[in-house]
Amino acid sequence: MLKINWWHSLRAQSFIAVIAFGVLLACLFVFYALPEQARWVNDDLSKTAQRSLQQLSTSVTTPLLTRQYAELYEQINNQLEIQPNWKSIKIVDATTGNQLYPLDSWTGAVQSGDMLLSQQITFLNKPLANITLVVNFTNEINESSKLHYTLIYIQFTILVFILIGLAWLVDYRITKPLRSLELAFSRLAKGDFECHVDKQQHNEVGSVINAFNQMATEVASNHQKLNTLRIQAESASKAKSDFMASMSHELRTPLNAILGLAQLYDYDDLANKVQKDNAKSIYRAGEHLLLLINDVLDLTAIESGNMQFNFDYVPIKRVVEESLEFVSELINAQSITIQTEGLVELEGLCVYIDERRFKQVMLNLLSNAIKYNKPQGHIHIRCQVSTNHQCKISVADTGYGFAADDVTRLFKPFDRLGAETSNINGTGIGLVITRELVERMQGEITVESELNKGSCFSLIFNGFEQNTLPKNTQLPLQTVTTSTSNILPTLEVLVAEDQVTNQQVLKQQLSILGVNGTFVSNGEQAWQALQDKHFDILLTDIQMPLLDGLNLAKRIRTENLYEHLVIIAVTANIIKKNIDDCYAVGMNGFLTKPVELVQLKSLLMEHSTGMVNAHIQSNLSPVISSDSFDQLDLSLLVAMLGDDISVHCMVFNAFLQSAGEQIKLINAYAANKNYTDLAFQAHGLKSSSKSIAALSLADFCQQIESLAENNSVQSESIHELELCFNEVIVQLTRYCEHYE
Amino acid sequence: MKYLVAILCLVQSSWLLAQEYTFGVVPQYEPQKLIEIWQPLLEQVSEQTGVKIKLVTVESIPVFEQAFANGEYDFAYMNPWHSVIAYEKQGYLPLIKDASRKLQGVLVVNKDSGITELSQLEGAEIAFPAPNALGASLLMRVDLAQLYGLTIKPVYVQTHSSVYLNVALNSTKAGGGVLGTLKQQPQNLQDKLNILYRTREISRHPIVAHPNVLPKIQLQVQQAILDIGQSEEHKHLLAGIPIIKPSIATLADYQQLTQWGLRSFYVEN
C-alpha cells in the first residue's frame, strides 16, 4: 500500500489551508484594518471636533464683542465638560494678543495623541480672536480597537469551529471512506471479490463507493467468465499441441514410406519408363508435402510461442559458408551462377543467435533466390560490416521480382504473389517463418525489389568481435577448421533407461558414435553411478520406477554437485508440457523416441567439448527390403541403428527377451483393473516398441496407456494389442532368421 | 338698625376675610425658582395671619417696574432704589429689611496693573454689570463722580463675573461689583484682583406694602415675618430670599439714596 506523506494528505492540506486563512485574516486585521480604523476614527472625530469648534467660535462671537467674558467662559467650560475628548481651549485676542481664555497660563498639547485644532473668530471679516483646541481621541480609538479585537476573537472562535467541522468533514466524509476504498482495492487486487465497501453516504463519495462495488461485482463475474474461457482455451491449446505432436509423427511416418518406395522404382529393373517417371513425380510431390508439413509445424510452433532457441555466440562466416555449401548442388543443377562479396569481412565476427535457426533462415533465402530466379540467372551475396560491428548479409537474385506495393503481402502466410499458378514449388509461409526467426534472434530483415529485375533480401544483425567475448563462449577452433567432418569427442555417457530394448538401442547407437556408455535401469541407480564416476552427459528416460527422470534431474540440479553435467531427456512424449517440464528442472535438451542416430550425434556434439572422433556412415538409406515386415519401420530402424543387420538383431533379441514378460503383465493388470501399473507397463512397452521401429505396436500401447490413465480399458483393446504384438514377434524372428 | 349694623359688620368682616392680596417679587431668577423660594414663606405667613397672599411673578425687570408703578402689587419685594421709585409713584412703604448686612459696591483692579489711587482711573474704561445695578453700578458711579469727580467710560458687560473677568484679562482697567459676588468667584480669579475702593453702605432689599392695604393687615404680615425670623422652626424659609435677620424697615432707610443723587444715574426704561 502506498504510504502517503502526511503533508500530502487531504486532512493536513485542509488544516493548513484553514490555518493559513486564519493567519492571513489576523494579519489583515492587525496590519491593515486596525490602523485604518484608527486613522478613520481619528479623522472623523477631528472633523467633528473642527465643526464643533466652528460652532463654538460662532457662539462666542457675541460675548467677545460685548466683552461678556463670563458667558464666554461658561460656554467654553460647558463645551469642555460635555466634549470628553476636548482637553483644553485657548482664546487669544487677535488685536492685542492677550490670552482671553483660560485665566491661567495654558499648557497646550502635552500628552501623546494630543492634537491641535485652531479656528479664527471673525466678525464682519475682521479677526476677533484665535481659538485653539487640544483634542485627544486615544480613548475613542482604544474603544474601537477593543471592539475590533473582540470581533477578531469571535472570528477566531468561529474559525476554530470551522476547523473542527472541516476536520470532521474531511476525516469522516472523505478520508475514512477513501481509506476503506483503498483497502478494498488492495483486496480486489489480491483476488478477493467479496471486498464490497459499505455505502453510508448519499453524495459523490457514496457514488464512487457505489461505482466501486459495481466494478467489483463486474470484475468478479468477468473473472469467472475468463476462468471458464481460460480453462476452455487451455484445453483447446492442449488438444492442439497434442494434435501437432502426433501430426509430426503421424504425417511424416507414412510420408517416409511413400518417399522410400517411390525411390525404389528407380532401382527396379522391371519397371518401365512411365512407371519410373510417375514414381519420380510421386517422390517430388511427397518431398513438397514434407516441406509443407515441416513449415506448417514451424509456423505453428512460432505462433504458439513454442519454438525453442538455443542462443550462443556463433562465428557468422562459418555459418554463411556452410549454408552456401549446402545449396551448391542445387545451384549447379539450375545452371545459376553465384557470386560472394566481402565474405572476408565477417572473419572473427560472432553473432548471438541460434545457429540451426540462422542456417534455416539463410537456406530459406538462398533456396528462394534459386527457385524464383530466371534461367541462367545470377545470385549475388554481399556481406558488409559497419564500424559498430553491425553486419549486413544481402542475398540478391536476378529473378522476376515484385512490385513495391507487394512488399506487405510478402510476409503474409500462404500468399505467394501469384506464384501459386507457376510450377515453382513453395508453401507461401517460408518468408513468414524467416522473418519471425530473424526477429526472434533480434535481427532485421529488409526487402528491395524491382519487377522483372530481381529482388534483394538483407539480414541485419549486431556482431561482436570474437576476441572481445568471454573465454568460455569462444568456440573451439577445431570445429571451425573441420566443419565438414563428423566429429565426436570421447564422452562418458550415463544412460538411465528401464526398458531393456531401449537400452540395447542406445548402447548400439553410442557404440557406433564411439562414445562410452554406462547403463542403469532407474533414477536411483543413476544417482549412485554419478557418485562413483565422472560423466559428461546423462541421457535419461522420463518414466522410470523408483526415481523418474524429472526428479533425478531436479535432485542433481538442487544438490549442485554436477554443474557441468549435461542432462538430456529421452522421451516418447513430445508434447510441449513435457518439454517445458524438462527445461524447468534444469535439463539441457531432449530427444524424441525413437532416437535417430543423426539426432543423437548432433545433440551430443552440441553439448560436448570433448575431442575424439568417430565416423558414421553418411548414407543411411534403407538397403533392406521391406516387403514382408509391415510391422516394422525399417527406414526408421536404419536411421536409429545404421544398416548393420547384426546390430538390429541384437536389439530385437533384447526386445524378444523382455517384451513377453511385459505383455503378460499388461494382460494381468487389465484383468485386475490395476490401471496405474497397466499404464506404466504399456508405456514401457510403447517405448521399447519405438526402439525397434515397431510403430503400430507402439501406437496400440499408447492407446492402452491413455485408456488406463482414464480407467476405461476395454478387453478388445488388449486383444488388438496382443494380435499386433504377436505379429511383431513373428516378424522380428523372421527378420533375424532371414538375414543371419 | 342694630341688625343692619351687625349685618354690615358681618359683610365687612367677611369681605375682609375673603380678600386675597398679591405679592410681587423682583425677577432676580426665573419664575419657577422664585415660586420655590417664596411660596413656602407666604403660606406660612397666611397660616399665621389668616391673610390670603398670592405670589405674582413676572418675566423681566421692566415689566416688574411697570407693574409696581401701576400699583398692581399689594405687597412686593424689590431692590432699595426700586423702593424709592415705588414710594414716589404709588406710596409703597417699606415693611421689612435684613438687619444683618448692608449693600455696598466694590471697585476691583488687576493686581498687576499698578493702580493704587482712584485718580489713576481718570478717563479709563470701567466695567459694570448694567447701568441700573444698585451696588455695583449706581452707587459706584455716584461715588466716583460726585465724591471724587472722576470722568470714566462705563462698559456694561451684563454680569458681575464678566466685570471681574474683564479686569483680570486687562480688558478694562477696573470693574464695579459687590463683595458678595466677588467672594463667589473662583479663587484664581479672585487672586488676580485687588479691591481699590468701597462705596457707601445702604440697607438691602425691603418688602414693601401698598398704601391701599389696611394698616392692620400690613402689621399682621410684618409681625408674621418677624416671628418667622425669630422661630427656629421656620427661619429657614427666609434664608432662600435671602433675609437673614428680618427687622422693621422705615422709609428713611432708603430715602438717603435720593439725597446721594442716584436719580441722575438711573436709566429709565
Side-chain angles (χ1 to χ4, degrees):
Chain A
M1 203 179 288
L2 181 70
K3 179 89 181 136
I4 298 172
N5 191 332
W6 189 82
W7 291 104
H8 294 162
S9 71
L10 278 179
R11 188 185 303 170
Q13 283 178 358
S14 58
F15 276 23
I16 290 166
V18 170
I19 288 168
F21 176 70
V23 170
L24 191 75
L25 214 63
C27 289
L28 205 70
F29 267 115
V30 172
F31 297 110
Y32 178 74
L34 278 181
E36 193 68 5
Q37 172 91 2
R39 195 185 59 74
W40 187 79
V41 167
N42 208 21
D43 283 1
D44 207 47
L45 290 173
S46 300
K47 277 181 198 160
T48 313
Q50 189 76 47
R51 274 200 300 277
S52 302
L53 191 62
Q54 204 162 2
Q55 283 173 3
L56 182 65
S57 306
T58 314
S59 65
V60 298
T61 308
T62 313
L64 276 173
L65 277 171
T66 57
R67 304 199 208 174
Q68 292 174 15
Y69 294 126
E71 194 184 334
L72 176 80
Y73 271 57
E74 196 185 323
Q75 282 199 25
I76 292 175
N77 287 339
N78 194 29
Q79 281 298 315
L80 285 175
E81 209 167 292
I82 63 170
Q83 303 276 14
N85 34 46
W86 287 22
K87 295 291 167 198
S88 61
I89 288 176
K90 181 173 83 167
I91 299 176
V92 176
D93 194 298
T95 43
T96 61
N98 277 347
Q99 179 180 303
L100 300 181
Y101 186 94
L103 204 56
D104 302 310
S105 62
W106 192 64
T107 47
V110 286
Q111 282 183 325
S112 74
D114 281 354
M115 224 166 60
L116 283 174
L117 299 174
S118 61
Q119 175 81 32
Q120 194 172 53
I121 306 167
T122 57
F123 181 71
L124 299 174
N125 291 331
K126 188 182 149 219
L128 276 183
N130 288 318
I131 181 163
T132 309
L133 168 69
V134 175
V135 283
N136 194 318
F137 300 121
T138 312
N139 282 341
E140 282 73 11
I141 290 167
N142 286 348
E143 278 299 313
S144 116
S145 299
K146 209 182 284 175
L147 196 72
H148 246 85
Y149 276 115
T150 313
L151 203 66
I152 288 173
Y153 293 142
I154 292 168
Q155 280 170 342
F156 265 94
T157 315
I158 291 169
L159 204 69
V160 165
F161 280 111
I162 290 173
L163 192 78
I164 293 166
L166 197 75
W168 177 82
L169 201 71
V170 169
D171 218 55
Y172 185 75
R173 309 279 284 180
I174 299 173
T175 314
K176 209 172 132 194
L178 278 183
R179 291 215 190 281
S180 45
L181 257 185
E182 190 185 8
L183 207 69
F185 266 115
S186 65
R187 281 175 61 194
L188 185 64
K190 284 173 188 162
D192 178 1
F193 299 113
E194 295 303 314
C195 56
H196 288 221
V197 182
D198 284 343
K199 183 193 156 191
Q200 295 158 336
Q201 305 180 38
H202 297 279
N203 54 16
E204 289 85 342
V205 174
S207 78
V208 167
I209 289 172
N210 212 18
F212 171 80
N213 287 344
Q214 276 178 10
M215 183 190 80
T217 312
E218 277 178 32
V219 166
S221 101
N222 282 343
H223 187 79
Q224 205 170 5
K225 280 182 201 160
L226 276 179
N227 252 349
T228 317
L229 288 175
R230 183 174 59 80
I231 291 163
Q232 284 175 0
E234 274 175 0
S235 68
S237 171
K238 186 172 178 296
K240 186 184 166 192
S241 53
D242 287 353
F243 172 73
M244 294 316 292
S246 56
M247 274 279 284
S248 62
H249 191 252
E250 302 298 336
L251 287 176
R252 272 189 280 191
T253 309
L255 207 51
N256 276 343
I258 292 166
L259 291 176
L261 289 172
Q263 269 183 320
L264 283 179
Y265 270 92
D266 218 18
Y267 305 99
D268 196 343
D269 297 337
L270 295 175
N272 60 30
K273 190 175 179 298
V274 177
Q275 284 170 329
K276 283 187 178 181
D277 285 348
N278 288 347
K280 272 182 187 164
S281 295
I282 292 169
Y283 184 81
R284 275 201 301 277
E287 220 174 26
H288 178 61
L289 188 58
L290 191 61
L291 184 75
L292 195 65
I293 289 165
N294 284 339
D295 279 356
V296 168
L297 282 172
D298 274 350
L299 186 66
T300 317
I302 287 169
E303 282 178 350
S304 63
N306 286 347
M307 184 161 273
Q308 301 293 326
F309 285 81
N310 294 315
F311 282 98
D312 204 351
Y313 292 97
V314 178
I316 188 76
K317 181 163 176 274
R318 173 174 61 80
V319 184
V320 174
E321 280 172 347
E322 281 176 12
S323 306
L324 287 172
E325 204 176 301
F326 208 88
V327 294
S328 60
E329 271 185 47
L330 258 175
I331 289 165
N332 292 340
Q334 300 265 344
S335 67
I336 288 171
T337 56
I338 186 162
Q339 187 193 356
T340 56
E341 181 191 333
L343 202 57
V344 193
E345 285 188 41
L346 299 180
E347 186 70 63
L349 199 71
C350 284
V351 179
Y352 192 67
I353 47 171
D354 180 329
E355 182 177 339
R356 195 163 68 86
R357 299 296 182 193
F358 188 78
K359 257 186 204 169
Q360 190 178 349
V361 168
M362 279 304 292
L363 290 177
N364 211 334
L365 292 181
L366 286 168
S367 67
N368 276 353
I370 296 163
K371 274 195 289 186
Y372 295 101
N373 219 321
K374 287 174 184 169
Q376 314 300 321
H378 181 73
I379 296 174
H380 189 96
I381 313 286
R382 178 185 291 153
C383 305
Q384 291 169 295
V385 180
S386 66
T387 48
N388 58 357
H389 303 305
Q390 198 178 57
C391 63
K392 182 177 178 184
I393 300 159
S394 307
V395 180
D397 62 50
T398 54
Y400 297 98
F402 45 87
D405 296 343
D406 293 335
V407 172
T408 48
R409 288 170 61 196
L410 206 59
F411 295 105
K412 275 189 186 164
F414 307 108
D415 190 343
R416 294 183 60 200
L417 306 185
E420 293 89 340
T421 52
S422 70
N423 58 353
I424 302 167
N425 281 337
T427 57
I429 54 177
L431 274 177
V432 182
I433 294 166
T434 302
R435 189 177 69 165
E436 284 293 334
L437 292 176
V438 168
E439 287 175 356
R440 288 288 296 277
M441 292 188 288
Q442 309 302 314
E444 194 186 334
I445 183 164
T446 59
V447 191
E448 290 164 44
S449 180
E450 208 175 321
L451 207 57
N452 289 324
K453 285 205 175 163
S455 46
C456 174
F457 289 83
S458 303
L459 299 174
I460 299 165
F461 281 87
N462 282 320
F464 303 89
E465 293 241 37
Q466 196 172 14
N467 50 25
T468 63
L469 297 176
K471 280 277 184 281
N472 57 356
T473 59
Q474 286 188 18
L475 291 176
L477 284 172
Q478 287 87 339
T479 52
V480 180
T481 50
T482 58
S483 58
T484 51
S485 58
N486 296 303
I487 304 154
L488 235 144
T490 302
L491 294 169
E492 286 296 337
V493 176
L494 176 63
V495 180
E497 171 63 65
D498 59 331
Q499 297 299 320
V500 182
T501 316
N502 293 348
Q503 278 189 10
Q504 198 62 39
V505 170
L506 281 167
K507 194 179 275 178
Q508 294 305 327
Q509 288 176 329
L510 290 176
S511 131
I512 289 167
L513 295 171
V515 172
N516 292 332
T518 305
F519 291 83
V520 292
S521 301
N522 58 51
E524 282 297 342
Q525 287 177 6
W527 180 247
Q528 286 303 322
L530 282 169
Q531 320 275 320
D532 300 337
K533 193 180 167 188
H534 168 79
F535 290 100
D536 298 308
I537 293 176
L538 166 67
L539 296 178
T540 176
D541 189 13
I542 297 299
Q543 289 193 11
M544 289 186 293
L546 291 178
L547 183 66
D548 66 18
L550 289 175
N551 284 319
L552 172 63
K554 201 184 280 180
R555 186 188 290 182
I556 291 167
R557 292 307 184 210
T558 318
E559 294 285 326
N560 226 356
L561 286 176
Y562 311 102
E563 273 181 40
H564 299 292
L565 182 70
V566 175
I567 306 175
I568 307 286
V570 182
T571 174
N573 290 336
I574 56 165
I575 60 170
K576 183 171 180 295
K577 185 181 176 300
N578 287 358
I579 295 162
D580 287 346
D581 288 345
C582 292
Y583 284 114
V585 296
M587 292 187 174
N588 303 74
F590 69 94
L591 283 171
T592 52
K593 287 177 184 172
V595 180
E596 291 185 22
L597 198 51
V598 181
Q599 288 175 354
L600 182 61
K601 189 191 105 185
S602 65
L603 197 88
L604 290 180
M605 278 179 74
E606 193 182 321
H607 291 292
S608 66
T609 52
M611 299 298 291
V612 179
N613 310 340
H615 211 78
I616 57 166
Q617 285 166 315
S618 56
N619 179 13
L620 294 174
S621 58
V623 290
I624 302 156
S625 167
S626 58
D627 53 353
S628 56
F629 304 109
D630 59 342
Q631 289 291 341
L632 303 176
D633 185 340
L634 292 179
S635 58
L636 178 65
L637 190 64
V638 171
M640 284 192 292
L641 297 167
D643 54 1
D644 189 340
I645 307 290
S646 61
V647 173
H648 297 179
C649 291
M650 213 180 288
V651 173
F652 288 172
N653 281 331
F655 179 80
L656 291 170
Q657 283 167 21
S658 61
E661 191 65 27
Q662 282 176 322
I663 201 81
K664 277 182 203 163
L665 283 172
I666 287 171
N667 261 322
Y669 290 143
N672 293 336
K673 298 195 189 305
N674 182 349
Y675 293 121
T676 314
D677 288 334
L678 174 59
F680 187 80
Q681 284 302 329
H683 178 82
L685 187 57
K686 177 185 78 177
S687 182
S688 301
S689 306
K690 282 185 175 178
S691 291
I692 56 160
L695 296 177
S696 305
L697 179 59
D699 288 346
F700 278 115
C701 292
Q702 171 70 55
Q703 277 177 24
I704 300 291
E705 188 186 348
S706 303
L707 292 170
E709 280 167 357
N710 294 328
N711 297 345
S712 59
V713 181
Q714 307 287 319
S715 59
E716 290 83 10
S717 305
I718 303 291
H719 186 61
E720 283 175 10
L721 176 71
E722 272 186 305
L723 286 178
C724 183
F725 177 77
N726 290 337
E727 190 79 3
V728 169
I729 296 296
V730 170
Q731 291 192 5
L732 288 181
T733 316
R734 202 168 67 232
Y735 182 93
C736 291
E737 284 169 0
H738 194 272
Y739 293 105
E740 270 172 356
Chain B
M1 187 66 196
K2 277 189 212 172
Y3 290 111
L4 186 66
V5 172
I7 288 168
L8 281 172
C9 282
L10 272 174
V11 169
Q12 172 74 10
S13 66
S14 72
W15 178 77
L16 281 171
L17 287 172
Q19 190 180 359
E20 194 180 57
Y21 297 92
T22 53
F23 195 107
V25 176
V26 63
Q28 287 166 310
Y29 311 106
E30 63 272 28
Q32 189 58 41
K33 189 172 179 185
L34 292 177
I35 292 167
E36 279 174 25
I37 292 168
W38 285 98
Q39 196 63 42
L41 176 70
L42 298 183
E43 278 171 10
Q44 184 62 33
V45 173
S46 293
E47 195 182 310
Q48 287 187 9
T49 58
V51 178
K52 285 186 179 173
I53 302 170
K54 182 190 171 192
L55 181 68
V56 177
T57 59
V58 289
E59 299 296 323
S60 65
I61 288 180
V63 176
F64 179 73
E65 287 174 341
Q66 194 64 48
F68 72 73
N70 293 340
E72 287 174 19
Y73 305 127
D74 294 324
F75 297 95
Y77 175 78
M78 55 184 64
N79 80 29
W81 179 245
H82 276 156
S83 72
V84 173
I85 303 296
Y87 172 71
E88 287 173 3
K89 298 267 183 186
Q90 290 281 339
Y92 281 99
L93 285 171
L95 285 184
I96 293 289
K97 66 176 183 185
D98 186 0
S100 66
R101 54 204 180 116
K102 292 209 163 187
L103 188 65
Q104 183 184 37
V106 292
L107 187 69
V108 294
V109 292
N110 197 311
K111 260 185 186 163
D112 304 328
S113 65
I115 297 169
T116 52
E117 300 293 332
L118 284 173
S119 57
Q120 287 176 283
L121 295 173
E122 175 60 34
E125 278 189 337
I126 295 179
F128 298 102
N132 293 344
L134 184 63
S137 182
L138 283 174
L139 286 179
M140 186 60 70
R141 282 191 290 146
V142 166
D143 274 13
L144 292 179
Q146 297 193 344
L147 298 183
Y148 298 96
L150 288 177
T151 311
I152 53 152
K153 288 181 190 167
V155 177
Y156 300 108
V157 294
Q158 291 277 359
T159 61
H160 288 245
S161 294
S162 284
V163 170
Y164 304 130
L165 280 169
N166 267 288
V167 177
L169 296 171
N170 293 315
S171 174
T172 56
K173 285 202 168 165
V178 293
L179 207 55
T181 56
L182 180 61
K183 294 298 170 200
Q184 285 166 10
Q185 298 308 311
Q187 194 55 48
N188 65 340
L189 181 54
Q190 289 188 43
D191 291 346
K192 288 182 183 292
L193 304 172
N194 265 345
I195 297 173
L196 183 66
Y197 172 74
R198 293 168 195 262
T199 62
R200 289 166 288 185
E201 287 184 330
I202 189 80
S203 290
R204 300 184 73 88
H205 290 41
I207 294 172
V208 296
H210 196 275
N212 285 349
V213 179
L214 291 176
K216 181 192 165 194
I217 300 296
Q218 286 187 23
L219 287 174
Q220 277 182 350
V221 170
Q222 185 182 47
Q223 192 54 53
I225 293 171
L226 289 172
D227 289 348
I228 287 168
Q230 294 295 318
S231 156
E232 282 301 317
E233 191 188 350
H234 296 299
K235 74 179 180 188
H236 71 274
L237 297 171
L238 289 167
I241 295 175
I243 295 171
I244 308 301
K245 192 181 170 192
S247 64
I248 297 168
T250 60
L251 192 58
D253 287 335
Y254 300 99
Q255 279 303 313
Q256 50 187 330
L257 290 174
T258 325
Q259 292 155 17
W260 288 346
L262 250 67
R263 190 175 304 278
S264 58
F265 290 88
Y266 183 77
V267 179
E268 294 275 359
N269 290 303

